[in-house]
Amino acid sequence: MELFNFKRSYKIERLVYLAIVFILLGGCKNEGKHEKVHELVLFDFEEGMPTEFITPQDATFELKEDNNNKFLQVNNGFTIRETGVKLLSPQDKPWDLSSYYQVKADVSNVGDEDIQVELFVGNDPDGLLRWYCSDYVDLVPGERKTITVDLAWTPWIFKPQIEVNGLRGVPGKIKADLTKVTELTFCSRYATQPNNFTVDNVRAVGEYEVRNPEGFFPFVDEFGQYMHGDWKNKMHSEEELKEQAKIELDYLAEATGPKERGAYGGWTAGPELEATGFFRTEKRDGKWWIVDPEGYLFWTAGLNCVASDAVFTGTSQRENYFKFLPGQDSPLGQFYAEGTHASHGFYKDKLPFKTYNFYQSNLFRKYGDAWLDKFRETAHLRIKDWGMNTIGFVSDFGATRQHKTPYVGSIWINGTPKIEGSEGFWGKFHDVFDPNFRIAVRNSIATQKEGANDPWCIGYFVDNELSWGQLGSLSLGTLKSPATQPSKIEFVNDLKTKYLQIGHLNIVWESDYDSWEALLQSTSTPDAKKAGPDLVAFYEKIADTYFKVINEELKKVAPKQNYLGCRFAWANNEVVLHAASKYLDIMSFNKYEYSVENFTLPEGMDKPVMIGEFHFGALDRGSFHVGIKKAKDQAERGQMYQDYIHGALRHPNIVGAHWFQYLDEPNTGRFDGENYNVGFVDICDNPYEELIDKVKETTYSMYEYRINNSANN
């Protein structure tokens, strides 16, 4: 296959750019004053293969040439998380990228399968900082794109850099220490089979506008908005807040929402199926659907965190960030609270910490003492007007109990013993073989069963984004744990049953344990390949037990509700998904992608699927962080919503998708520092009009669209 000549194209673009710069500067009249392109070429492979600067990871590499253009081809395996290559700086000459806004690289898919190619700039020991300095592109076979990694939160920076704590996206801040970068990692993201991609023209580009940080503090006004900028629908007074609320409420009082909808939001123009009085699933004409209590087809278009208390921000040790914080005893002082949880970030080791909820205070400014009732009423009216039909994960019980909009329940399995040797972004994994695990599951369901046997409750998400890790990883974590760990005792007993004698195991694992007791006492791990079948078998047993126990206990309490699973995120292997599919009514995945049209389940698996989270964010309305998927502005957020939902509607297994979340996160960060522009409404409770217009264009016709369109159609 002939490859497009990236280098030639890139060089042409660069020559055109230089010509434009030359013309704008007045040609030869400005001789000696021509603008210099701010660029550092890191790798272009034209001078051959610098093999000492390339380290493969479950991959091989080779230099290729096409149309007089040389590039690197990477041939990947799929046994590790970051299968690909590391491109290294000279040992004594790390790259100083602190003056460049972006790193770009041209990549192409030269294999036969859809892939995602990911680029990490640097290897910061802080996993979050490393993640910030990364991005990826989706590539179908034969496709070529440029990966672009932004190295600062804004195209301008403060000089000198200033310390701002407790928020992930910070205006004027370079994302990490980029003065001594020693590596760039190119990998196939979440690979499940061998694949091949190319890399070329790796370069750092873009010169920052430098600003003086003097006068930056405080940077948040009395409404929780960014002070040092203006934009469409920014609020400047309480009068504006109230006027904007009146305009919207007057409109909503007359709005009727989409036509042909039943009491629960099902499609009354579609077929009438068996009405059981509760939500269920059914496959019809090759596509999975939810069927609502009235027997109408239902596709769940939802919003997570429809709750006014979802957006508090810490004020302790950051009081100078805020232009105005009310007195504790003033009417606005009621919105102070105490934060008792912080999984990551500034407040993780500062518990408890003082918080303030600007969103609630703005509702109070609008509606007075009836602010909470008005929040709930308005949320229902908005969701209906927006053509949506579900209140999603961790939302306001006061709203869901009004029985105006279907909803999902949320259960967290708390108080369980953990596998001490395991690790994950949100914490260690449950020890499902400890007898107290089932007790903890039973107690957690009993105390969080809101919605049980309620026809308006679609079902329950239980837990969230568990870290299943690579295939067999939980088994390795088990072996790292103390001898008293119940899961370890279970694993060793399984091995005893299989091998009978420790010597037989030693032959297979090529290990040297003196006895079964020695294996139990050891916290070292075996060679993952040699012990692979045993590690995978016990890993599968962990997954099966986890879903089985929860399903059994949940169905005792809420037999009429669907078990929606744990909202799989990141990479998920077939072993876990097969175990889950035996017990889940609907499989849930948090998929932060630009499209889910090509989402696949393991071969032979046919289950309904719900997207638990997705979003797109932008920086055009005073926010500092776009969230996980980037848009250029609010209009593009809307277009991306439509593209995503249309792709989901075309997919035969997907029965719904829920956006994270209803409200913007606070500019000064939630408990873990997230400060994303991901809301349908801003901190002042005003909807993003351009986004909402596109949402309505999408949802009002979603049933007809699903009926009339198929994947890749």
Side-chain angles (χ1 to χ4, degrees), residues 14 19 103 114 125 182 186 226 244 399 490 625 667 673:
R14 191 165 182 270
V103 168
D114 294 354
T182 59
F186 290 86
Y226 182 48
Q244 193 69 27
E490 183 81 9
H625 199 309
N667 265 342

Side-chain angles (χ1 to χ4, degrees), residues 17-168:
Y17 170 75
L18 289 171
I20 292 171
V21 170
F22 181 78
I23 292 169
L24 291 174
L25 290 174
C28 295
K29 293 180 181 179
N30 290 306
E31 187 174 352
K33 299 181 181 179
H34 296 164
E35 182 177 326
K36 183 179 180 180
V37 177
H38 193 61
E39 176 184 271
L40 175 64
V41 176
L42 303 173
F43 284 88
D44 69 4
F45 307 105
E46 288 305 304
E47 302 304 320
M49 177 85 77
T51 55
E52 67 271 27
F53 301 132
I54 305 175
T55 300
Q57 303 183 127
D58 188 27
T60 62
F61 60 87
E62 54 189 313
L63 187 66
K64 294 275 191 172
E65 184 170 354
D66 185 78
N67 290 337
N68 298 318
N69 174 50
K70 295 178 181 178
F71 53 88
L72 185 70
Q73 178 168 315
V74 184
N75 309 306
N76 288 300
F78 58 96
T79 63
I80 62 174
R81 164 64 181 86
E82 293 179 7
T83 175
V85 295
K86 287 184 181 291
L87 302 185
L88 309 176
S89 70
Q91 189 169 4
D92 57 343
K93 292 183 179 179
W95 299 303
D96 183 355
L97 304 183
S98 59
S99 67
Y100 298 92
Y101 178 43
Q102 296 169 326
V103 168
K104 293 176 176 282
D106 302 325
V107 295
S108 69
N109 180 358
V110 292
D112 299 323
E113 304 291 335
D114 294 354
I115 62 173
Q116 295 175 325
V117 178
E118 190 167 22
L119 165 59
F120 290 89
V121 178
N123 191 24
D124 197 289
D126 185 319
L128 277 177
L129 295 183
R130 185 171 185 265
W131 177 51
Y132 296 159
C133 296
S134 72
D135 210 338
Y136 64 91
V137 292
D138 298 283
L139 296 170
V140 300
E143 189 175 17
R144 310 144 184 102
K145 289 181 181 177
T146 298
I147 303 179
T148 300
V149 176
D150 293 343
L151 303 180
W153 294 109
T154 51
W156 55 271
I157 60 170
F158 285 130
K159 200 168 186 179
Q161 291 278 281
I162 56 176
E163 183 176 1
V164 184
N165 295 312
L167 51 157
R168 293 191 181 178

Side-chain angles (χ1 to χ4, degrees), residues 183-404:
E183 64 182 55
L184 306 170
T185 302
F186 290 86
C187 60
S188 176
R189 187 171 183 260
Y190 302 150
T192 58
Q193 56 190 329
N195 57 70
N196 314 90
F197 64 84
T198 70
V199 179
D200 201 3
N201 298 321
V202 186
R203 67 267 189 196
V205 300
E207 189 167 11
Y208 293 114
E209 171 196 346
V210 175
R211 298 184 183 179
N212 189 326
E214 186 176 347
F216 178 70
F217 297 105
F219 62 93
V220 173
D221 69 14
E222 63 268 39
F223 305 114
Q225 303 170 117
Y226 182 48
M227 284 175 50
H228 307 308
D230 207 358
W231 53 88
K232 178 181 177 181
N233 287 341
K234 182 178 182 180
M235 297 291 100
H236 303 88
S237 66
E238 286 194 25
E239 289 70 26
E240 275 190 285
L241 272 175
K242 293 175 181 177
E243 178 60 26
Q244 193 69 27
K246 182 179 185 305
I247 291 170
E248 186 189 11
L249 291 177
D250 287 347
Y251 162 76
L252 290 173
E254 302 296 325
T256 59
K259 300 181 184 303
E260 300 174 334
R261 299 291 191 270
Y264 297 91
W267 187 36
T268 59
E272 294 187 36
L273 307 177
E274 180 187 0
T276 64
F278 291 88
F279 286 94
R280 62 183 181 86
T281 59
E282 181 174 320
K283 191 171 186 181
R284 184 176 179 84
D285 298 328
K287 295 177 180 177
W288 280 100
W289 291 87
I290 296 174
V291 179
D292 79 5
E294 296 182 301
Y296 297 121
L297 296 178
F298 183 92
W299 200 88
T300 174
L303 283 164
N304 291 319
C305 304
V306 183
S308 66
D309 60 359
V311 288
F312 61 83
T313 190
T315 58
S316 301
Q317 303 180 51
R318 306 193 307 165
E319 290 82 358
N320 64 316
Y321 294 9
F322 306 97
K323 176 184 177 182
F324 170 78
L325 288 172
Q328 193 81 40
D329 297 327
S330 70
L332 292 173
Q334 64 184 296
F335 303 109
Y336 284 109
E338 187 176 83
T340 58
H341 169 72
S343 57
H344 302 84
F346 179 67
Y347 287 112
K348 183 177 181 179
D349 58 355
K350 298 177 177 63
L351 302 176
F353 58 98
K354 192 174 184 179
T355 70
Y356 193 73
N357 192 317
F358 284 97
Y359 180 78
Q360 290 181 337
S361 71
N362 289 331
L363 292 174
F364 179 79
R365 287 182 170 102
K366 287 181 176 185
Y367 306 122
D369 291 335
W371 65 269
L372 184 54
D373 290 338
K374 208 65 178 176
F375 163 80
R376 292 165 175 164
E377 173 192 341
T378 305
H380 286 297
L381 292 172
R382 283 171 170 166
I383 290 169
K384 181 179 180 180
D385 176 61
W386 297 344
M388 306 180 85
N389 56 24
T390 309
I391 293 176
F393 192 58
V394 288
S395 291
D396 185 316
F397 290 161
T400 59
R401 289 169 184 165
Q402 292 176 338
H403 289 173
K404 296 179 180 180

